[in-house]
Amino acid sequence: MGLVLGQHSATGASERAATWVPGVAAARSYAKHRRGRIAFDIIAPSGRERGLHPTASFPMASVFKVMLLATYLRRPSVAHRRLHRSDRRLLVPMIRRSDNNAATRVRDIVGPGAIRRLARLAGMHRFHYNPVWGLSLTSPRDQAHFMDRFDRYVPARHRAFARHQLAHIIPSQRWGIGRLRLPGWHLYFKGGWGSGSGAVDHQVAFLESGHERIALAIFTESDGSHHYGKHTLQGIAGRLLHGLPAG
């Protein structure tokens, strides 16, 4: 009997998540009263997509590193073998603590052609590569779709590794969406910021509970300070995910 009840409970949670509607209106209203330029996009478990200026272009800063992670793992010389210590020494710090030197090294290894190919494969219509990788351009819609389908762009052998990095960002960088309580949901995300200046503060993420997934991207520019930008990200994410059923 306990097993049957558990099955019904899981089914009910899944049904509630599938019919849940993000708080887009509240997030838009909040954004109007925040400093700087703000845009976002969210894809609900139902597949419905909504946002605020979702096709606006922004410099990517360190959210570019999620693309670098996927591009590196897709390399023909890497895709079907186990990862070596040298691979991990680059990829782990690049994602978990946002190491810029590691990111530059990965960019040099994979090359701009492979990055552009991934962008085309992922349907990133607003992506524009810049040799100064943090100045590469994208849109919230580009990145929400990329995160929604992240597993498609990482070889099966390395998906668990890639997910593990996005789930284990160091505590000092778990601001914005990383500070929300999301019972029953697993959060995978990466932030980008303008060296603490408030020039840009971004987050890209996907959340999973059972077979349900939510993907979102929040981009801000000219925040005035990193502290202010972090609060904007948390305020937007909290409103978008308000009322999300526990998994």
Side-chain angles (χ1 to χ4, degrees):
M1 180 63 73
L3 177 61
V4 173
L5 289 174
Q7 289 173 336
H8 283 306
S9 176
T11 300
S14 180
E15 289 175 350
R16 290 193 299 273
T19 58
W20 167 80
V21 178
V24 173
R28 288 174 177 166
S29 179
Y30 173 80
K32 289 179 182 178
H33 302 286
R34 298 297 289 177
R35 184 188 311 140
R37 180 169 167 252
I38 300 169
F40 60 81
D41 196 42
I42 183 166
I43 303 171
S46 65
R48 185 178 183 186
E49 178 181 3
R50 297 181 67 196
L52 173 69
H53 311 307
T55 61
S57 292
F58 288 80
M60 294 183 72
S62 287
V63 298
F64 182 78
K65 292 168 184 170
V66 185
M67 291 183 66
L68 284 177
L69 173 66
T71 304
Y72 187 97
L73 295 173
R74 291 173 60 86
R75 297 174 67 215
S77 61
V78 175
H80 304 294
R81 65 161 170 83
R82 68 177 182 84
L83 294 179
H84 301 323
R85 185 176 299 176
S86 58
D87 302 315
R88 295 174 182 272
R89 277 200 300 259
L90 287 173
L91 301 177
V92 172
M94 181 181 76
I95 298 298
R96 290 203 202 179
R97 58 182 175 85
S98 209
D99 186 294
N100 288 337
N101 291 331
T104 298
R105 178 64 180 140
V106 171
R107 188 277 315 274
D108 291 344
I109 291 170
V110 302
I115 296 166
R116 291 189 180 104
R117 284 193 294 274
L118 175 63
R120 288 194 297 271
L121 179 67
M124 295 185 187
H125 299 295
R126 304 289 287 180
F127 178 79
H128 179 76
Y129 175 79
N130 191 303
V132 180
W133 50 259
L135 298 181
S136 297
L137 299 177
T138 193
S139 71
R141 178 165 292 170
D142 281 351
Q143 296 307 309
H145 279 268
F146 179 58
M147 297 304 280
D148 188 46
R149 302 164 184 164
F150 181 72
D151 291 340
R152 300 184 188 183
Y153 308 121
V154 176
R157 179 165 189 147
H158 301 313
R159 282 176 196 153
F161 170 83
R163 284 165 158 265
H164 189 77
Q165 308 321 308
L166 295 171
H168 289 84
I169 302 299
I170 61 172
S172 63
Q173 294 176 14
R174 296 188 70 86
W175 29 262
I177 194 172
R179 295 186 63 83
L180 300 181
R181 290 175 55 84
L182 302 164
W185 290 83
H186 299 286
L187 173 64
Y188 306 86
F189 78 103
K190 181 75 186 77
W193 59 101
S195 301
S197 67
V200 297
D201 290 286
H202 309 324
Q203 286 184 322
V204 298
F206 66 91
L207 301 86
E208 286 185 338
S209 179
H211 297 296
E212 304 297 340
R213 177 180 287 214
I214 300 164
L216 69 155
I218 308 169
F219 283 70
T220 73
E221 191 171 26
S222 302
D223 298 310
S225 73
H226 184 40
H227 178 77
Y228 188 91
K230 290 190 291 186
H231 279 276
T232 297
L233 291 171
Q234 185 172 347
I236 296 290
R239 285 161 176 81
L240 287 174
L241 298 174
H242 179 72
L244 182 64

